[in-house]
Amino acid sequence: MDYKKYFQDNRDKHLNELKEWLSIPSISALSEHKPDVKKAAEWLADTMAKAGLENIKIHETKGHPIVYADYLHAEGKPTVLVYGHYDVQPVDPLNLWTTPPFEPDIRDGKLFARGATDDKGQLFLHIKAVEAILSQEKQLPVNIKFCIEGEEEVSSPNLPGFLEANQDMLKSDVVLISDTSLLEKGRPAICTGLRGLCSLEVALHTANTDLHSGSYGGGVPNALHAMVSLLNSLHDEDGRVSVEGFYKGVLELTPEDHEEFQKQSVDENKLKQDLGLDELFGEEGFTFAERTGARPTLELNGVYGGFQGEGSKTVIPKEAHAKITCRLVGHQDPQDILDKIEKHIHAHVPTGAKVTVKQMEKGNPFTIDPSTPVLQKAAAAYEQVYGTRPVFTRDGGSIPIVETFSRVLEAPVVCMGFGLPDENLHAPNEHFNLENFDFGLLTIVDFLKRV
C-alpha cells in the first residue's frame, strides 16, 4: 500500500481536522475551561468513531474525562495500547503569542497553536494512522486500544486509579506513547528513561513579628539568614546532594550507557553560548547529557521572604519560604527521598528558628532496556522513514504516568515522540513541525506492521 501517497492526498483534510481540535481551549488547570475540556473529549470520541474505532466511551472522573476506544479483530496478534492527553497548558503571557493560541496558523512549515506538539498534534497521528490502515486494508495488523486523558498537565490525579480499576479492559502487550521529542530535526530518538519527581515546601519562622534592624539587628535571629544557611546545607561544594541516603537506588552508568549519551552529541560550548553562561555546573565526572538524563537532582525553585518592594526597608524578617523539587532516577523512591530531606532539614535548623515542611508531588522514575525487542522494532520503523537509526535517550523531565502504565499493566512502554525540543511546549508560540507530522504518520504505520 502506498501510504505516502495516501497521507499526501489527505494532508489538507487531516490538518484542517487537527486545527478544529486545537481551536478548543482545553486547559485542564483552569476551572473556567472545564466545559472546553469536556468538548475536546467529545471531539476526540467523535473523531475516533469516524476513524473506524469501536467501543468508544467517555469515562467521567472526579476531574476531567478519560476517553477509551479499541479495535480488537486481529486474532492471535499483539495488542497495542496508545496513551496520550488532550488537555493543554495555560497560555500566559498572551501578549507574547504572534497569533492567538487557539486560532491555529500554519507558517514556515509549522503549525502554531497551544497543544500543537503537546500533545494533541502527536496524539492525532495515531488516530489517523489507524484510520489509514483500515481505509486501505480493511483490517489492522494488531489489536489496538486507546486510553486518552484530560489531566496530564495537572499531574494525572485520576488516571492511576482508573488503570488499577480497569486492568482487564486495558490489558495489552505494548504501551505506545508519543509525548516526547526527536533529538533535533532529522535525528529521531527513543526515550528509555524518565526521571521521577518529588516536591516540598519549607516555611521557617523566627520572631512573632518583623523587627526594626536598628533596634534588634545583631541580637535576634534573621529568618532569611537562617533559611539561606539551611538551604546551603543541602549540597556540598561540588554540587552533590548532602542529604544522607539520597543516592541510594541510583544506578551507576555502564560503559554502554556512556556510549549512548555520547551519541546525543551535545555541544556544551554552544549550550553555554546559547544560555549566556560562562560555565555549566553539576556533578564531577558526568557530561551535561548524563547530568540531566541519568543523575538525580535537588533544586531550589523559589526562595522568598522579607521586604521585596521598591527602595529599602530596614527590617529583620520573621519568616522565609522555599520551594524545592527533586528529579529522581533508578530505584529512588519519592516518598523515601521526601522523608530523608525532611529529616535533614529538621536536623539542620539554625538556632532560634522553627521549621515546617509540607510534602507535595510524588512520581516514580521510569527506565526500560533499549534491547527490548519492541523498542528495536520502533527503532527500525524510525530508520525506515527518517533514513537514520534513532538514539536511545534518557530524558531529564518527568512523566510519572509512564511508570504507572509499565507497572500496573506489566507491559513495555515505547516512548515514540515526533516533537522537537524547540517547539515551545508550555510556552508562547507552541508549534509542531509539519515534516514530523508527515514522517510521524508513516513511522506509526510502519511500527504497527512490525509489531
Side-chain angles (χ1 to χ4, degrees):
M1 297 295 176
D2 189 349
Y3 282 97
K4 187 173 183 179
K5 183 178 186 304
Y6 172 88
F7 287 125
Q8 192 60 45
D9 290 346
N10 288 277
R11 191 174 194 259
D12 289 343
K13 174 176 173 288
H14 291 164
L15 286 174
N16 285 333
E17 290 177 12
L18 177 54
K19 284 181 179 180
E20 283 183 18
W21 202 20
L22 293 171
S23 299
I24 304 172
S26 51
I27 304 171
S28 54
L30 302 179
S31 58
E32 63 263 35
H33 285 284
K34 188 175 179 67
D36 296 312
V37 180
K38 179 66 178 293
K39 182 178 178 182
E42 293 169 346
W43 188 97
L44 173 62
D46 184 58
T47 300
M48 286 175 160
K50 292 176 182 175
L53 289 162
E54 301 172 341
N55 300 312
I56 300 162
K57 184 175 180 180
I58 297 176
H59 293 265
E60 298 296 338
T61 72
K62 293 179 181 178
H64 300 301
I66 295 169
V67 182
Y68 174 85
D70 62 35
Y71 194 88
L72 308 175
H73 300 288
E75 187 176 351
K77 301 294 179 64
T79 298
V80 176
L81 174 69
V82 176
Y83 162 78
H85 65 94
Y86 62 87
D87 63 320
V88 301
Q89 282 277 323
V91 298
D92 310 84
L94 191 60
N95 64 299
L96 295 183
W97 287 80
T98 302
T99 51
F102 297 110
E103 295 180 18
D105 183 56
I106 294 176
R107 55 184 188 273
D108 302 322
K110 303 170 184 177
L111 174 58
F112 287 81
R114 174 58 89 223
T117 190
D118 182 23
D119 179 44
K120 287 179 179 176
Q122 295 199 56
L123 173 57
F124 184 78
L125 299 177
H126 292 275
I127 301 169
K128 290 298 143 182
V130 168
E131 181 181 77
I133 298 173
L134 287 175
S135 172
Q136 297 281 52
E137 305 185 39
K138 310 306 178 187
Q139 60 183 356
L140 296 181
V142 295
N143 299 295
I144 200 155
K145 300 176 180 179
F146 283 81
C147 178
I148 313 302
E149 68 162 324
E151 297 183 317
E152 194 273 346
E153 300 294 4
V154 289
S155 302
S156 305
N158 292 295
L159 186 56
F162 182 82
L163 297 183
E164 293 280 1
N166 294 279
Q167 292 183 50
D168 289 341
M169 180 179 77
L170 300 172
K171 182 177 176 60
S172 56
D173 300 291
V174 181
V175 179
L176 178 59
I177 301 174
S178 293
D179 197 11
T180 51
S181 67
L182 283 68
L183 276 180
E184 59 186 25
K185 179 180 169 64
R187 292 189 68 201
I190 296 175
C191 175
T192 61
L194 290 159
R195 292 195 288 189
L197 176 74
C198 64
S199 67
L200 63 153
E201 293 183 355
V202 181
L204 184 150
H205 293 80
T206 49
N208 58 10
T209 183
D210 286 354
L211 297 168
H212 189 290
S213 67
S215 301
Y216 292 91
V220 298
N222 182 310
L224 282 175
H225 292 180
M227 180 62 85
V228 169
S229 174
L230 176 59
L231 297 179
N232 192 52
S233 74
L234 294 169
H235 293 87
D236 65 19
E237 293 181 356
D238 297 321
R240 280 180 62 87
V241 178
S242 300
V243 174
E244 184 178 353
F246 182 83
Y247 290 93
K248 181 182 178 181
V250 177
L251 304 177
E252 294 301 320
L253 295 181
T254 66
E256 292 76 18
D257 291 330
H258 286 295
E259 184 178 345
E260 281 298 320
F261 278 109
Q262 287 176 0
K263 290 179 183 178
Q264 295 186 33
S265 305
V266 176
D267 186 336
E268 295 192 1
N269 287 323
K270 183 177 185 301
L271 181 63
K272 287 188 290 186
Q273 183 179 4
D274 291 345
L275 297 177
L277 293 171
D278 295 325
E279 292 294 338
L280 299 177
F281 180 78
E283 288 184 87
E284 291 293 326
F286 298 97
T287 65
F288 174 82
E290 290 166 348
R291 290 169 182 166
T292 57
R295 300 297 295 172
T297 66
L298 187 156
E299 298 287 356
L300 308 181
N301 306 120
V303 180
Y304 52 99
F307 178 67
Q308 299 178 47
E310 184 178 356
S312 65
K313 181 182 180 183
T314 53
V315 65
I316 297 174
K318 71 182 182 76
E319 63 182 271
H321 302 264
K323 294 178 182 290
I324 299 171
T325 56
C326 297
R327 300 290 179 167
L328 310 177
V329 300
H331 302 302
Q332 286 181 298
D333 176 75
Q335 186 60 60
D336 177 61
I337 293 297
L338 285 171
D339 291 341
K340 287 174 176 174
I341 295 172
E342 182 167 354
K343 181 180 178 181
H344 176 100
I345 287 172
H346 285 300
H348 289 78
V349 178
T351 301
K354 300 177 286 293
V355 166
T356 57
V357 176
K358 180 182 179 183
Q359 298 186 10
M360 299 177 68
E361 299 166 287
K362 290 178 288 186
N364 291 318
F366 164 78
T367 56
I368 186 171
D369 187 341
S371 67
T372 302
V374 72
L375 264 65
Q376 292 299 314
K377 292 181 186 296
Y382 272 121
E383 187 172 19
Q384 175 66 32
V385 176
Y386 282 83
T388 184
R389 198 161 183 83
V391 175
F392 290 102
T393 65
R394 298 192 201 178
D395 291 359
S398 303
I399 311 177
I401 202 64
V402 174
E403 185 276 339
T404 307
F405 269 105
S406 176
R407 173 171 44 82
V408 173
L409 300 184
E410 298 181 339
V413 178
V414 181
C415 291
M416 201 171 188
F418 299 98
L420 286 175
D422 62 355
E423 289 181 333
N424 290 10
L425 61 164
H426 294 204
N429 298 314
E430 178 181 348
H431 58 276
F432 190 21
N433 281 261
L434 294 184
E435 175 184 81
N436 292 318
F437 179 89
D438 299 330
F439 285 176
L441 290 163
L442 295 170
T443 304
I444 293 168
V445 169
D446 188 281
F447 173 69
L448 293 178
K449 287 178 173 290
R450 290 176 189 273
V451 172

